[in-house]
Amino acid sequence: MGRRHAATDPSYPRWVWIAAAATVALLIVGGAFVLRALIFPDSTDGPSAGNGSPPSPNEPLAQDSPPAVAGSSPCIALNILTSLENADMARALAAEYTAKPRNVDGKCVTPEVTQEKSGAAAGKVAAQFPGVPAGDRPAVWLPDSSAWLQIARQGGGNTVPGEGTSIARSAIVVAMPETMASALGWDDQAPSWSDVFKMAGEQDVWERLGHGEWGKFKFGKASPLVSTAGLMALAASYGAAGGSVGGLDAMDLKASSLVDKVRAVELGTSHYMATPEHFLWHAREADDAGNVAEFLSAVIVDEKSVWDYNRGVVSEDGTTKQAGPAPKEPLRAIYPSDGVHVADNPAVVLGGDWVDSLQRSAAQDFLAFALTEQGQNVVKASGYRSIQGELDPGVAGTGRYAQTLQPLPLPKAETLAAMQGSFPDVRKRARALFLVDISESMVQDPGANKLQRAKDAVVKALDHFTGEDEIGLAAFSHEGDGPLQPGIVTPVAPLKSNKADLIAKLTELKAVEATPLFEAVSRFAGEQAKGYKDDFINTIVLLSDGKNDTRHPGDLGGVSEQLSHQNHSTPVLVFTLAYGPDADVPTLLQIAKASGAHYYDATDPNRLEEVLGELVTSF
């Protein structure tokens, strides 16, 4: 839906992160020069990247030359902060680096890698890691795009010096199940970006092509404020709408005719999620159930994620990877014919006063290793293109990588600022029903009980919506053998007309007795489906702290079957949030899975506001 939280705090009101995004994008232009230098290493147009331009494809890489004997203990602690996407590569580089003796000013070196969403990491770097002990702060930052270096630099003074050293490349592609790509002929002849968005907008395309069993065309995108893939997806939307994905800088992005076309492009989005990993996790769940088409037709991701997926590696939260057998149906990486953006994975030694001279020397030694032939072999084995554009043959085959790329230039700063600032206006609207458990267990905590916290969190979550989003409120419980109550509290309607009523009635909610979970989900998912709108993302946000404890109609099997059936033609995404330690997590997981949505964990009630803020960015 595009209701994106600020990089460092999902509870910020929309105007905060819109203003921040528009401002910080003014500095991203530096990243364009870094990416241009990476993609065109022989070019003299613009400054070199970080510690020097990468070598040309014909220039041999330096050889790693470790000392004969490692330095003495205690070792220099080298903390490295990465994005979610490239954390595995950074850990592999660290392991290979420490496999040989290292001696920096007479000391051994111990790299330690941590990971964070790109937008959140940029905010922490800019703020110089408030509340984090100096010894735990990173000396090296390795996001997946130079854009995040510029964003952090805007608010972080000299914390991010220079442009960084690009150590790997990964193209941003359209990933599709292979049978779907084949049905469109895209496995043989790549479409343009305009073709991709046009197809996503034809919701009945599979029925037209004789594959009605695949349902609607389900097209996913990540957040343009959190994810590089999401930002590049938005750039592609503007480029396709304006007739040139490489010519955004020459367009009048405020022209009403262009804005209307971008809105039309965004209508093809099934829903937005914070990161591409969320989409791939659910695609794998659908594949395991025997029909990946129930969840996914296409998603814009980095090609390394396609390699991960095809070899059986997925992540529910983007942080913890789970490895299993290869999927029944692999994904095909589609490289649109008019070009792709390329993430440049730059590393920078941070300039904070917590980075002492020994750590700085160790960081430089580590980055020098990353650019050697041995380091670049690790890069390739980790699913990336080397700084010279080379590929590991096994990775390329599994990931369905193209051997060569047609890179797109990063737009100028003012263009990026205009696009990001316009996103709330052009993104697809949401039609969402908040469904709140008001059973007695919600008020059993002393002080600020769970029900009051839930009310407060929902009110804050409303700040992530615009007036054109259609929002409603329902609640569920019952007394004795009585009917479900109170049911619909505020009908789904444009938020600009019903926000005051929704908040007032939310405040009046009182706990009753039981938890008719299955009846509530079945009833309200059915009502949302009856009012289904193609040009909206139709969803329910379910908050529950317990389990179904009533003999009211319904069971988990019936609810799951209903949601799966609806997902085929009138998908209603039921995002579930487990609230408190007694929540029925397995049931909430299954409900979300059956609807094609995501489960969120707030079993620690103190995290409710943060988690709900993240949840409502996933429409």
Side-chain angles (χ1 to χ4, degrees), residues 247-324:
L248 291 173
D249 294 328
M251 298 179 189
D252 178 4
L253 301 188
K254 295 182 179 180
S256 59
S257 58
L258 177 59
V259 171
D260 288 344
K261 290 178 181 178
V262 175
R263 287 189 186 123
V265 167
E266 290 299 307
L267 289 178
T269 306
S270 299
H271 60 291
Y272 305 94
M273 285 189 172
T275 67
E277 288 85 1
H278 287 90
F279 285 103
L280 298 182
W281 170 266
H282 290 294
R284 182 54 197 259
E285 286 188 322
D287 181 85
D288 288 343
N291 190 1
V292 68
E294 283 298 320
F295 177 75
L296 180 71
S297 298
V299 61
I300 298 176
V301 299
D302 59 286
E303 58 188 357
K304 188 264 184 184
S305 293
V306 179
W307 172 65
D308 272 344
Y309 181 89
N310 285 352
R311 67 192 181 102
V313 177
V314 291
S315 175
E316 182 177 12
D317 57 7
T319 301
T320 305
K321 299 288 181 71
Q322 296 186 18

Side-chain angles (χ1 to χ4, degrees), residues 91-421:
R91 291 192 177 97
L93 281 168
E96 188 68 15
Y97 175 76
T98 55
K100 300 289 178 63
R102 303 295 166 184
N103 189 322
V104 174
D105 292 340
K107 294 288 187 181
C108 52
V109 181
T110 305
E112 184 69 31
V113 176
T114 58
Q115 62 200 66
E116 180 61 272
K117 290 182 182 125
S118 295
K124 291 178 180 179
V125 171
Q128 301 191 25
F129 304 95
V132 178
D136 294 335
R137 298 176 189 177
V140 175
W141 184 28
L142 177 56
D144 66 335
S145 170
S146 291
W148 303 109
L149 301 183
Q150 307 298 334
I151 289 171
R153 187 178 294 117
Q154 195 250 356
N158 296 324
T159 305
V160 186
E163 297 295 345
T165 300
S166 297
I167 66 173
R169 302 168 61 189
S170 190
I172 307 301
V173 301
V174 180
M176 299 186 69
E178 286 203 326
T179 53
M180 292 182 165
S182 178
L184 295 173
W186 290 356
D187 53 345
D188 289 329
Q189 180 154 356
S192 66
W193 280 106
S194 292
D195 293 333
V196 171
F197 294 127
K198 179 181 178 182
M199 201 62 65
E202 295 183 22
Q203 294 294 295
D204 61 349
V205 59
W206 298 132
E207 184 174 0
R208 177 170 59 81
L209 293 175
H211 289 286
E213 74 277 9
W214 291 345
K216 292 181 176 292
F217 194 103
K218 302 178 181 70
F219 188 37
K221 296 178 184 176
S223 163
L225 298 182
V226 175
S227 160
T228 299
L231 179 59
M232 296 304 104
L234 181 58
S237 292
Y238 267 93
S244 174
V245 289
L248 291 173
D249 294 328
M251 298 179 189
D252 178 4
L253 301 188
K254 295 182 179 180
S256 59
S257 58
L258 177 59
V259 171
D260 288 344
K261 290 178 181 178
V262 175
R263 287 189 186 123
V265 167
E266 290 299 307
L267 289 178
T269 306
S270 299
H271 60 291
Y272 305 94
M273 285 189 172
T275 67
E277 288 85 1
H278 287 90
F279 285 103
L280 298 182
W281 170 266
H282 290 294
R284 182 54 197 259
E285 286 188 322
D287 181 85
D288 288 343
N291 190 1
V292 68
E294 283 298 320
F295 177 75
L296 180 71
S297 298
V299 61
I300 298 176
V301 299
D302 59 286
E303 58 188 357
K304 188 264 184 184
S305 293
V306 179
W307 172 65
D308 272 344
Y309 181 89
N310 285 352
R311 67 192 181 102
V313 177
V314 291
S315 175
E316 182 177 12
D317 57 7
T319 301
T320 305
K321 299 288 181 71
Q322 296 186 18
K328 300 180 182 71
E329 181 168 7
L331 296 179
R332 168 70 65 175
I334 306 296
Y335 298 76
S337 58
D338 37 359
V340 294
H341 288 96
V342 181
D344 59 334
N345 294 275
V348 65
V349 182
L350 295 176
D353 57 13
W354 63 88
V355 183
D356 61 31
S357 59
L358 280 177
Q359 290 172 321
R360 190 170 307 282
S361 295
Q364 292 167 348
D365 191 60
F366 176 76
L367 296 184
F369 164 75
L371 298 179
T372 64
E373 180 180 347
Q374 291 74 19
Q376 288 297 295
N377 285 340
V378 173
V379 165
K380 291 187 290 184
S382 300
Y384 290 83
R385 297 171 188 265
S386 74
I387 54 177
Q388 295 177 310
E390 294 179 348
L391 288 165
D392 177 277
V395 167
T398 301
R400 277 53 170 181
Y401 288 13
Q403 287 298 314
T404 58
L405 297 178
Q406 182 181 345
L408 290 169
L410 213 60
K412 291 180 179 179
E414 57 268 25
T415 304
L416 289 171
M419 286 192 302
Q420 288 188 318

